[in-house]
Amino acid sequence: MSTRTSTLAVAAVLALAVLAYAMGLGGQYVPTNGDELVYIHIARLTAEAGHWLPLVSDLPSMRNTKPPLLFWQALWAGDWGQQWTLLALRLPSLGYTLLTAGLVGAVTWRIRPNRATALLAAALFLGFFSTFRYGRPYLTSAPETFWLTLPMLVFIWKMNRFSDEAKAFSATTNIAISGWMMGFTGLCWGLGLAYKSFALIAPTAAATGLGLLLIQGRHGTGDPHPGAVLLRVSAQVLPPVLMALGIFALWFALDPDPRAVWQEFVIGENVGKMGDKQGWWHEALRGGGSSLWVQGIAYLENAGMLFPLVAGGLAVAWRGRHRATVSALSPAVCVLLAWLLVWWAVFMLPSQRSARYVIPAMPALAILLALVWDRMAHGWFVAVLAVNVLVILILARIGWVMVELGIANPSQAAVLWVVWLLWLTVILLGLFHAPATRSAALAAPLLFYLCFGLLTAPLDGAQGRYPPTALKPGQTLGVPSNFNAQWERFEFLLPGQRLRPYNMADVASPDAQALLQTRLREFDAVVWLQTQDGEAPPCLPHCQVVATRWVVKERHKSGDITWANLWRPQEWLFTREWLLQQRRLPP
């Protein structure tokens, strides 16, 4: 494939990525963290209170669970409640993600001045499932990823005026953090901490320090003594650290209740994650979601369907371990490797571990993969396409069932099938035409994201929403909730109502009929879920169905989805939700 053709192919894939990310941004079923609605709840009540601080919540145990900058972003985006839509709240996150992708591409071009490689790095970053899942919702990793990564990328840009193959630097080479760079770094780090947590200063500063150590200790021609190098690097990293922590500490100075901030955020949200009631080793080795084994493959997990390429990139590094010593690596690659290694190692330490904690290192991974793209074996790209074959079959079956159930209309189904056929064509082209394999492996996951957006679109239409006139404004509405603030979604589905959550376990209770009757007497209307296909509301004929909608079942229990029923998504994926009122007898 010619250089021009390669550049055009990657540019087309990048445009596809932007389209996939914009698809359904304001929808109910954007892949997200389950806590997104908790933070939307806090932001909404804070906006209603009309002040920046303190934060407000109806959940006593969940108020100061994130620094205020996350909520202030929502106050600005939602115009203090005047434009309170999921689209408005999520747009800043998408903006941060696209800016980060642009930086990734620009820095890659600085390291290797090749347009195809630069576009490739940006597309890889957007192709990671962790970016798609956590780079768009309101509760997201996009802001801290941008602010914490920005100084590292600017530093690489600044020092990479030297060739990628440089092996030594003169004593006058500026490979340190300069004065203005210290201030810029401290400001960026501070904004990142003000979005997420002061604890992120540990991996951020340590990764930067290690990168400087690798550069100055191996490439520099100054004092070769390790202690002197360590002291010099510490003197460069410490000022930005202090500045960043000072910016974060403004929360305590501005909040009218700093004691609550200390107890709820510092102790509850951060210190509490460092220990475990049954011991650190129990949590680390027991094999659950917070084990060392799971955290060990965090980068593979975050890559999603691109995980074979991460494995392939590591294989390239392993094969070249003897000739690619630290002293032979470019300073840019030293910084990138340090960033990846430290973020991975630091989040092995808390008792609560998650692959999403290393998301701020994913831009570095995208750059490194783009740099070794041409050196990875053909089989790694075939493996990506093989994974897509499994996913495309399941997604096609779900789309078929949605048409059978009447969730998707013929025009929606037609658009979905066109994109699905395009996705299948790309997979087959990549599998059977070797020159197209690499581009196909890059495009296939992004076509999956686009198909996912088209698949959920009907659920954001008439079949998945209540009519605007279903209820008169200001009524008291009983809504089910099985997780923190999950009732907040009805603020977007039935705006203007007074929401009163009840335990969703009532729906599946043996006393469901009596519990529903009680709820109907307590509230003006009740939202109730169907538990079995074809089931009627248990209150009939003593209640009336105001409206119904299709919903996606969430938080499946173990055994709900098996190989036996995987081909029948109507049994485990879709169900009905009723909006009910007590039947009024005629006078």
Side-chain angles (χ1 to χ4, degrees):
M1 186 180 294
S2 69
T3 302
R4 178 177 173 79
T5 303
S6 176
T7 301
L8 291 174
V10 179
V13 171
L14 191 56
L16 172 65
V18 175
L19 176 62
Y21 272 65
M23 176 70 66
L25 187 62
Q28 304 172 69
Y29 299 107
V30 167
T32 180
N33 186 317
D35 284 339
E36 182 186 34
L37 289 170
V38 175
Y39 296 98
I40 289 178
H41 168 77
I42 297 171
R44 179 177 61 83
L45 292 189
T46 303
E48 290 178 358
H51 50 64
W52 298 98
L53 288 171
L55 302 175
V56 182
S57 174
D58 284 340
L59 299 166
S61 60
M62 299 196 75
R63 182 167 65 99
N64 293 308
T65 55
K66 286 289 184 292
L69 198 54
L70 175 69
F71 303 103
W72 293 351
Q73 174 184 295
L75 299 183
W76 169 78
D79 192 18
W80 289 85
Q82 299 305 306
Q83 301 292 330
W84 206 253
T85 65
L86 287 173
L87 178 61
L89 294 174
R90 290 169 175 165
L91 270 175
S93 299
L94 178 60
Y96 272 122
T97 295
L98 296 180
L99 280 173
T100 304
L103 284 171
V104 164
V107 170
T108 305
W109 178 86
R110 183 72 164 182
I111 298 171
R112 181 179 296 169
N114 180 285
R115 282 179 293 182
T117 305
L119 294 172
L120 172 63
L124 280 168
F125 175 70
L126 295 177
F128 294 145
F129 184 68
S130 62
T131 311
F132 183 68
R133 180 177 180 184
Y134 297 108
R136 299 195 300 160
Y138 165 59
L139 178 62
T140 176
S141 296
E144 66 263 23
T145 297
F146 175 81
W147 289 115
L148 297 179
T149 307
L150 178 59
M152 182 262 289
L153 297 179
V154 171
F155 186 56
I156 292 174
W157 178 279
K158 183 171 173 283
M159 69 181 171
N160 215 65
R161 57 177 172 270
F162 308 101
S163 74
D164 192 52
E165 304 300 325
K167 304 228 178 5
F169 295 83
S170 70
T172 59
T173 296
N174 184 13
I175 53 175
I177 300 180
S178 60
W180 75 266
M181 189 67 185
M182 286 184 184
F184 175 77
T185 300
L187 176 62
C188 292
W189 287 358
L191 291 172
L193 303 189
Y195 264 108
K196 194 63 172 281
S197 172
F198 66 92
L200 293 185
I201 197 62
T204 304
T208 303
L210 179 59
L212 286 171
L213 279 173
L214 292 175
I215 297 169
Q216 297 189 14
R218 295 290 185 174
H219 293 290
T221 58
D223 192 340
H225 193 276
V229 176
L230 180 61
L231 185 62
R232 186 165 61 248
V233 167
S234 299
Q236 295 169 33
V237 174
L238 184 58
V241 168
L242 295 177
M243 182 178 176
L245 291 175
I247 292 174
F248 179 85
L250 290 174
W251 185 10
F252 292 89
L254 298 174
D255 199 293
D257 190 3
R259 183 185 296 272
V261 174
W262 178 265
Q263 291 295 329
E264 296 171 16
F265 184 76
V266 177
I267 303 299
E269 286 293 308
N270 290 272
V271 177
K273 294 180 179 179
M274 294 301 296
D276 184 76
K277 293 180 180 179
Q278 300 186 52
W280 187 89
W281 286 107
H282 174 269
E283 189 68 28
L285 302 176
R286 70 187 180 95
S290 291
S291 69
L292 291 174
W293 324 118
V294 172
Q295 189 67 20
I297 60 170
Y299 289 127
L300 296 175
E301 181 181 337
N302 284 341
M305 287 191 288
L306 291 175
F307 79 88
L309 300 188
V310 178
L314 294 175
V316 169
W318 178 254
R319 286 198 305 271
R321 66 191 183 279
H322 297 301
R323 61 180 180 273
T325 59
V326 171
S327 60
L329 293 174
S330 73
V333 173
C334 285
V335 173
L336 294 170
L337 289 174
W339 195 261
L340 287 167
L341 177 63
V342 170
W343 276 87
W344 177 78
V346 165
F347 284 104
M348 288 286 191
L349 299 178
S351 60
Q352 182 174 324
R353 302 174 187 86
S354 172
R356 69 177 183 272
Y357 294 159
V358 300
I359 286 176
M362 297 306 288
L365 183 61
I367 295 172
L368 283 173
L369 289 181
L371 294 176
V372 300
W373 182 264
D374 294 331
R375 293 161 56 194
M376 282 190 276
H378 182 79
W380 296 113
F381 299 91
V382 173
V384 173
L385 296 171
V387 173
N388 273 263
V389 170
L390 297 175
V391 176
I392 196 172
L393 291 175
I394 296 172
L395 219 63
R397 177 58 182 167
I398 291 173
W400 188 274
V401 167
M402 289 180 69
V403 174
E404 289 182 337
L405 294 176
I407 300 174
N409 60 42
S411 60
Q412 291 169 328
V415 174
L416 178 60
W417 290 121
V418 168
V419 177
W420 184 88
L421 288 172
L422 174 62
W423 184 15
L424 180 62
T425 301
V426 167
I427 293 172
L428 295 176
L429 183 64
L431 288 173
F432 298 106
H433 184 57
T437 301
R438 293 171 188 261
S439 297
L442 182 63
L446 294 166
L447 282 166
F448 160 65
Y449 301 155
L450 184 61
C451 276
F452 184 91
L454 291 170
L455 198 68
T456 58
L459 290 162
D460 285 314
Q463 294 295 327
R465 291 186 177 273
Y466 293 115
T469 57
L471 293 176
K472 296 179 181 178
Q475 299 201 53
T476 303
L477 179 63
V479 294
S481 182
N482 66 340
F483 192 63
N484 290 327
Q486 289 303 293
W487 70 84
E488 189 71 19
R489 65 186 183 276
F490 292 100
E491 289 286 345
F492 303 100
L493 291 168
L494 292 164
Q497 311 301 330
R498 295 189 296 269
L499 304 182
R500 298 293 182 268
Y502 66 84
N503 192 339
M504 191 182 287
D506 291 358
V507 174
S509 168
D511 301 322
Q513 184 171 2
L515 290 169
L516 177 54
Q517 291 290 355
T518 301
R519 299 284 178 260
L520 287 168
R521 289 192 295 269
E522 290 178 11
F523 309 125
D524 296 319
V526 174
V527 172
W528 196 261
L529 280 170
Q530 184 183 62
T531 56
Q532 296 179 3
D533 187 36
E535 177 191 50
C539 61
L540 293 177
H542 306 293
C543 66
Q544 60 181 359
V545 178
V546 178
T548 65
R549 71 182 186 113
W550 284 101
V551 296
V552 172
K553 294 180 183 179
E554 298 176 342
R555 298 195 169 270
H556 294 92
K557 298 178 181 178
S558 177
D560 285 353
I561 306 175
T562 65
W563 287 109
N565 68 2
L566 189 61
W567 204 244
R568 299 189 299 277
Q570 63 270 35
E571 296 180 6
W572 50 266
L573 189 58
F574 301 109
T575 190
R576 286 276 191 176
E577 186 180 85
W578 301 297
L579 180 60
L580 306 172
Q581 284 184 324
Q582 193 164 14
R583 188 175 294 280
R584 308 296 181 185
L585 296 176

